[in-house]
Amino acid sequence: QAPLVESGGGSVQAGGSLRLSCAADRPLRGCMAWFRQAPQAPEKAREGVAGMNTVLGIRSFYIGSVKDRFTISLDNAKNTMYLDMNALKPEDTGMYYCATAPGVWINGDCPLFSTTYSRWGQGTQVTVSS
């Protein structure tokens, strides 16, 4: 499978907004998520911030620190997943990765653990200054 391709990162001031995109070469189904890795943090410390599950309809879920600020969405026609980030804070700074879990079918919220996901993009950097 071709890797996922993220885009849309950049540098913004606190309170600003960004839209991240994750393009795939085929339809996205099942568990998918956005993760972030803080500067100088190891890969195993990637934090799942938002996820989506298309089994039994579309179900989205978030960690508490981004709820009501971030929105995950999916455009099936474009095979693209998005993460709209509003009211950004300096602590949101990091490399953002999208990931999917082919073959993992769960009814309900998918785990936001990096080990659940086997297909990753290369990441896009988000920097929020105070």
Side-chain angles (χ1 to χ4, degrees):
Q1 290 182 335
L4 303 170
V5 180
E6 301 100 333
S7 61
S11 298
V12 297
Q13 289 191 325
S17 300
L18 285 172
R19 178 177 235 204
L20 306 184
S21 300
C22 173
D25 62 339
R26 61 196 66 194
L28 295 166
R29 296 189 180 97
C31 291
M32 59 197 78
W34 286 96
F35 287 79
R36 67 185 176 195
Q37 186 171 339
Q40 301 182 0
E43 181 176 326
K44 63 182 179 180
R46 285 183 187 176
E47 176 185 40
V49 298
M52 176 176 287
N53 188 1
T54 65
V55 175
L56 301 180
I58 292 186
R59 181 185 182 101
S60 57
F61 39 93
Y62 307 87
I63 59 172
S65 62
V66 307
K67 198 171 183 181
D68 298 329
R69 298 191 297 123
F70 290 11
T71 302
I72 189 172
S73 61
L74 177 65
D75 186 334
N76 286 316
K78 297 181 179 180
N79 295 338
T80 299
M81 177 173 64
Y82 300 99
L83 184 68
D84 288 295
M85 306 186 295
N86 298 309
L88 282 162
K89 304 176 181 180
E91 51 263 43
D92 295 319
T93 293
M95 186 70 80
Y96 281 70
Y97 299 87
C98 63
T100 63
V104 175
W105 301 102
I106 296 174
N107 294 332
D109 292 351
C110 300
L112 285 176
F113 301 126
S114 59
T115 51
T116 299
Y117 300 82
S118 58
R119 190 179 179 204
W120 293 81
Q122 82 290 347
T124 186
Q125 178 67 38
V126 171
T127 302
V128 185
S129 58
S130 58

